[in-house]
Amino acid sequence: DVMHGVNLDQLGRRDPEVYGTFTLPELEVRIKGYAAELGFDVTFWQTNHEGEFCEELHRARDRADGLVLNPGAWTHYSYAIRDALEVCGLPAVEVHISEVDSRDDWRRLSVIRDICVGRVQGKGADGYRDALEILRRELGE
Ligand code: DQA
């Protein structure tokens, strides 16, 4: 599964210098292409509600082999999502479109970082390809 969190549905309207001009549906088309190249059958999910994101993590366990996650701002403070990801137990790669480490100080902290198998930031849409490659390696060819 590729899971997008809060405000990622607003891509295309957010600062293009930071996030590019692509919309979430456009991003998903690109990710679908990357996934096909790597032999992944991919499912997308986006919500602006933290509890729903947690519930999707609970469900993903029975359905997916691995996760690519961009939880948006929740990354920086949601222990609920961290706990749900831990319960889920699937290998997960954290992705950020922007370079979170060189923006605001509060964006440097990720509460999920140490329970993810990889992390990609600042590569725009291409970062999702890197994330899928990390997941591919993690799951074996
Ligand atoms: C983001 C970075 C977060 O800091 C921000 O809150 C987002 C998007 C990114 O993809 O660059 O909503 O996760």
PDB file of all heavy atoms in Angstrom, residues 1-4 28 31 42-46 66-70 128 132:
ATOM      1  N   ASP A   1       0.824  -1.205   0.000  1.00  0.00           N
ATOM      2  CA  ASP A   1       0.000   0.000   0.000  1.00  0.00           C
ATOM      3  C   ASP A   1       0.863   1.262   0.000  1.00  0.00           C
ATOM      4  O   ASP A   1       1.908   1.301   0.632  1.00  0.00           O
ATOM      5  CB  ASP A   1      -0.860   0.048   1.282  1.00  0.00           C
ATOM      6  CG  ASP A   1      -2.046  -0.896   1.211  1.00  0.00           C
ATOM      7  OD1 ASP A   1      -1.991  -1.851   0.442  1.00  0.00           O
ATOM      8  OD2 ASP A   1      -3.008  -0.651   1.941  1.00  0.00           O
ATOM      9  N   VAL A   2       0.376   2.281  -0.663  1.00  0.00           N
ATOM     10  CA  VAL A   2       0.989   3.603  -0.591  1.00  0.00           C
ATOM     11  C   VAL A   2       0.002   4.481   0.158  1.00  0.00           C
ATOM     12  O   VAL A   2      -1.121   4.685  -0.299  1.00  0.00           O
ATOM     13  CB  VAL A   2       1.274   4.182  -1.993  1.00  0.00           C
ATOM     14  CG1 VAL A   2       1.818   5.600  -1.891  1.00  0.00           C
ATOM     15  CG2 VAL A   2       2.257   3.289  -2.749  1.00  0.00           C
ATOM     16  N   MET A   3       0.401   4.948   1.326  1.00  0.00           N
ATOM     17  CA  MET A   3      -0.516   5.693   2.196  1.00  0.00           C
ATOM     18  C   MET A   3      -0.094   7.148   2.330  1.00  0.00           C
ATOM     19  O   MET A   3       1.014   7.443   2.774  1.00  0.00           O
ATOM     20  CB  MET A   3      -0.578   5.019   3.568  1.00  0.00           C
ATOM     21  CG  MET A   3      -1.228   3.643   3.505  1.00  0.00           C
ATOM     22  SD  MET A   3      -1.262   2.826   5.111  1.00  0.00           S
ATOM     23  CE  MET A   3      -2.216   3.957   6.111  1.00  0.00           C
ATOM     24  N   HIS A   4      -1.009   8.014   1.960  1.00  0.00           N
ATOM     25  CA  HIS A   4      -0.778   9.458   2.067  1.00  0.00           C
ATOM     26  C   HIS A   4      -1.629  10.033   3.180  1.00  0.00           C
ATOM     27  O   HIS A   4      -2.826   9.770   3.250  1.00  0.00           O
ATOM     28  CB  HIS A   4      -1.138  10.141   0.747  1.00  0.00           C
ATOM     29  CG  HIS A   4      -0.132   9.894  -0.329  1.00  0.00           C
ATOM     30  ND1 HIS A   4      -0.398   9.164  -1.449  1.00  0.00           N
ATOM     31  CD2 HIS A   4       1.158  10.276  -0.421  1.00  0.00           C
ATOM     32  CE1 HIS A   4       0.693   9.118  -2.200  1.00  0.00           C
ATOM     33  NE2 HIS A   4       1.648   9.785  -1.603  1.00  0.00           N
ATOM     34  N   GLU A  28      -0.082   9.662  -8.209  1.00  0.00           N
ATOM     35  CA  GLU A  28      -0.421   8.234  -8.127  1.00  0.00           C
ATOM     36  C   GLU A  28      -0.214   7.520  -9.466  1.00  0.00           C
ATOM     37  O   GLU A  28       0.206   6.367  -9.487  1.00  0.00           O
ATOM     38  CB  GLU A  28      -1.843   8.066  -7.591  1.00  0.00           C
ATOM     39  CG  GLU A  28      -1.882   8.443  -6.102  1.00  0.00           C
ATOM     40  CD  GLU A  28      -3.232   8.300  -5.417  1.00  0.00           C
ATOM     41  OE1 GLU A  28      -4.254   8.136  -6.118  1.00  0.00           O
ATOM     42  OE2 GLU A  28      -3.273   8.364  -4.184  1.00  0.00           O
ATOM     43  N   ILE A  31       3.453   6.862  -9.561  1.00  0.00           N
ATOM     44  CA  ILE A  31       3.834   5.773  -8.646  1.00  0.00           C
ATOM     45  C   ILE A  31       3.399   4.424  -9.223  1.00  0.00           C
ATOM     46  O   ILE A  31       4.112   3.436  -9.118  1.00  0.00           O
ATOM     47  CB  ILE A  31       3.227   5.982  -7.236  1.00  0.00           C
ATOM     48  CG1 ILE A  31       3.715   7.302  -6.628  1.00  0.00           C
ATOM     49  CG2 ILE A  31       3.574   4.813  -6.325  1.00  0.00           C
ATOM     50  CD1 ILE A  31       3.032   7.690  -5.320  1.00  0.00           C
ATOM     51  N   VAL A  42      -0.072  -2.175  -6.628  1.00  0.00           N
ATOM     52  CA  VAL A  42      -0.105  -1.132  -5.602  1.00  0.00           C
ATOM     53  C   VAL A  42      -1.523  -0.612  -5.338  1.00  0.00           C
ATOM     54  O   VAL A  42      -2.347  -0.518  -6.246  1.00  0.00           O
ATOM     55  CB  VAL A  42       0.891  -0.007  -6.014  1.00  0.00           C
ATOM     56  CG1 VAL A  42       0.299   0.941  -7.016  1.00  0.00           C
ATOM     57  CG2 VAL A  42       1.423   0.719  -4.832  1.00  0.00           C
ATOM     58  N   THR A  43      -1.794  -0.330  -4.068  1.00  0.00           N
ATOM     59  CA  THR A  43      -3.081   0.247  -3.661  1.00  0.00           C
ATOM     60  C   THR A  43      -2.798   1.592  -3.005  1.00  0.00           C
ATOM     61  O   THR A  43      -1.849   1.708  -2.226  1.00  0.00           O
ATOM     62  CB  THR A  43      -3.759  -0.674  -2.614  1.00  0.00           C
ATOM     63  OG1 THR A  43      -3.897  -1.961  -3.166  1.00  0.00           O
ATOM     64  CG2 THR A  43      -5.120  -0.153  -2.216  1.00  0.00           C
ATOM     65  N   PHE A  44      -3.625   2.604  -3.323  1.00  0.00           N
ATOM     66  CA  PHE A  44      -3.415   3.936  -2.756  1.00  0.00           C
ATOM     67  C   PHE A  44      -4.479   4.258  -1.713  1.00  0.00           C
ATOM     68  O   PHE A  44      -5.622   3.798  -1.821  1.00  0.00           O
ATOM     69  CB  PHE A  44      -3.471   4.999  -3.858  1.00  0.00           C
ATOM     70  CG  PHE A  44      -2.392   4.828  -4.872  1.00  0.00           C
ATOM     71  CD1 PHE A  44      -2.658   4.223  -6.095  1.00  0.00           C
ATOM     72  CD2 PHE A  44      -1.105   5.258  -4.603  1.00  0.00           C
ATOM     73  CE1 PHE A  44      -1.652   4.052  -7.030  1.00  0.00           C
ATOM     74  CE2 PHE A  44      -0.095   5.093  -5.529  1.00  0.00           C
ATOM     75  CZ  PHE A  44      -0.372   4.489  -6.750  1.00  0.00           C
ATOM     76  N   TRP A  45      -4.087   5.083  -0.795  1.00  0.00           N
ATOM     77  CA  TRP A  45      -4.977   5.461   0.291  1.00  0.00           C
ATOM     78  C   TRP A  45      -4.574   6.837   0.774  1.00  0.00           C
ATOM     79  O   TRP A  45      -3.384   7.133   0.934  1.00  0.00           O
ATOM     80  CB  TRP A  45      -4.848   4.415   1.418  1.00  0.00           C
ATOM     81  CG  TRP A  45      -5.535   4.805   2.684  1.00  0.00           C
ATOM     82  CD1 TRP A  45      -4.963   5.410   3.764  1.00  0.00           C
ATOM     83  CD2 TRP A  45      -6.911   4.616   3.009  1.00  0.00           C
ATOM     84  NE1 TRP A  45      -5.898   5.615   4.729  1.00  0.00           N
ATOM     85  CE2 TRP A  45      -7.102   5.140   4.294  1.00  0.00           C
ATOM     86  CE3 TRP A  45      -7.994   4.067   2.328  1.00  0.00           C
ATOM     87  CZ2 TRP A  45      -8.332   5.122   4.926  1.00  0.00           C
ATOM     88  CZ3 TRP A  45      -9.217   4.057   2.968  1.00  0.00           C
ATOM     89  CH2 TRP A  45      -9.381   4.572   4.247  1.00  0.00           C
ATOM     90  N   GLN A  46      -5.548   7.705   0.944  1.00  0.00           N
ATOM     91  CA  GLN A  46      -5.278   9.035   1.513  1.00  0.00           C
ATOM     92  C   GLN A  46      -6.416   9.419   2.445  1.00  0.00           C
ATOM     93  O   GLN A  46      -7.590   9.167   2.157  1.00  0.00           O
ATOM     94  CB  GLN A  46      -5.168  10.105   0.406  1.00  0.00           C
ATOM     95  CG  GLN A  46      -4.611  11.474   0.881  1.00  0.00           C
ATOM     96  CD  GLN A  46      -5.656  12.408   1.483  1.00  0.00           C
ATOM     97  OE1 GLN A  46      -6.836  12.352   1.117  1.00  0.00           O
ATOM     98  NE2 GLN A  46      -5.241  13.254   2.408  1.00  0.00           N
ATOM     99  N   GLY A  66       3.928  -4.744   2.204  1.00  0.00           N
ATOM    100  CA  GLY A  66       4.778  -3.664   2.687  1.00  0.00           C
ATOM    101  C   GLY A  66       4.088  -2.338   2.439  1.00  0.00           C
ATOM    102  O   GLY A  66       3.070  -2.269   1.750  1.00  0.00           O
ATOM    103  N   LEU A  67       4.660  -1.296   3.021  1.00  0.00           N
ATOM    104  CA  LEU A  67       4.025   0.028   2.947  1.00  0.00           C
ATOM    105  C   LEU A  67       5.011   1.113   2.541  1.00  0.00           C
ATOM    106  O   LEU A  67       6.176   1.075   2.931  1.00  0.00           O
ATOM    107  CB  LEU A  67       3.467   0.417   4.327  1.00  0.00           C
ATOM    108  CG  LEU A  67       2.439  -0.500   4.977  1.00  0.00           C
ATOM    109  CD1 LEU A  67       2.183  -0.036   6.408  1.00  0.00           C
ATOM    110  CD2 LEU A  67       1.152  -0.513   4.169  1.00  0.00           C
ATOM    111  N   VAL A  68       4.492   2.061   1.768  1.00  0.00           N
ATOM    112  CA  VAL A  68       5.196   3.318   1.530  1.00  0.00           C
ATOM    113  C   VAL A  68       4.308   4.381   2.158  1.00  0.00           C
ATOM    114  O   VAL A  68       3.128   4.490   1.815  1.00  0.00           O
ATOM    115  CB  VAL A  68       5.391   3.563   0.019  1.00  0.00           C
ATOM    116  CG1 VAL A  68       5.881   4.979  -0.244  1.00  0.00           C
ATOM    117  CG2 VAL A  68       6.364   2.536  -0.561  1.00  0.00           C
ATOM    118  N   LEU A  69       4.860   5.117   3.094  1.00  0.00           N
ATOM    119  CA  LEU A  69       4.062   6.050   3.896  1.00  0.00           C
ATOM    120  C   LEU A  69       4.545   7.475   3.764  1.00  0.00           C
ATOM    121  O   LEU A  69       5.725   7.737   3.948  1.00  0.00           O
ATOM    122  CB  LEU A  69       4.223   5.745   5.391  1.00  0.00           C
ATOM    123  CG  LEU A  69       3.743   4.474   6.043  1.00  0.00           C
ATOM    124  CD1 LEU A  69       4.012   4.601   7.529  1.00  0.00           C
ATOM    125  CD2 LEU A  69       2.278   4.266   5.778  1.00  0.00           C
ATOM    126  N   ASN A  70       3.642   8.388   3.459  1.00  0.00           N
ATOM    127  CA  ASN A  70       3.920   9.812   3.641  1.00  0.00           C
ATOM    128  C   ASN A  70       2.815  10.354   4.535  1.00  0.00           C
ATOM    129  O   ASN A  70       1.758  10.751   4.047  1.00  0.00           O
ATOM    130  CB  ASN A  70       3.960  10.567   2.313  1.00  0.00           C
ATOM    131  CG  ASN A  70       4.309  12.033   2.514  1.00  0.00           C
ATOM    132  OD1 ASN A  70       4.353  12.508   3.641  1.00  0.00           O
ATOM    133  ND2 ASN A  70       4.554  12.738   1.421  1.00  0.00           N
ATOM    134  N   TYR A 128       9.274   8.345  -4.551  1.00  0.00           N
ATOM    135  CA  TYR A 128       8.429   7.156  -4.374  1.00  0.00           C
ATOM    136  C   TYR A 128       9.010   5.951  -5.099  1.00  0.00           C
ATOM    137  O   TYR A 128       8.805   4.822  -4.688  1.00  0.00           O
ATOM    138  CB  TYR A 128       6.991   7.442  -4.836  1.00  0.00           C
ATOM    139  CG  TYR A 128       6.274   8.361  -3.868  1.00  0.00           C
ATOM    140  CD1 TYR A 128       6.396   9.732  -3.969  1.00  0.00           C
ATOM    141  CD2 TYR A 128       5.511   7.836  -2.826  1.00  0.00           C
ATOM    142  CE1 TYR A 128       5.776  10.581  -3.069  1.00  0.00           C
ATOM    143  CE2 TYR A 128       4.878   8.669  -1.921  1.00  0.00           C
ATOM    144  CZ  TYR A 128       5.019  10.048  -2.047  1.00  0.00           C
ATOM    145  OH  TYR A 128       4.411  10.873  -1.139  1.00  0.00           O
ATOM    146  N   LEU A 132       9.975   2.461  -3.276  1.00  0.00           N
ATOM    147  CA  LEU A 132       9.543   1.140  -3.744  1.00  0.00           C
ATOM    148  C   LEU A 132      10.749   0.237  -3.966  1.00  0.00           C
ATOM    149  O   LEU A 132      10.685  -0.972  -3.707  1.00  0.00           O
ATOM    150  CB  LEU A 132       8.716   1.272  -5.032  1.00  0.00           C
ATOM    151  CG  LEU A 132       7.311   1.876  -4.834  1.00  0.00           C
ATOM    152  CD1 LEU A 132       6.704   2.266  -6.186  1.00  0.00           C
ATOM    153  CD2 LEU A 132       6.379   0.900  -4.117  1.00  0.00           C
TER     154      LEU A 132
END
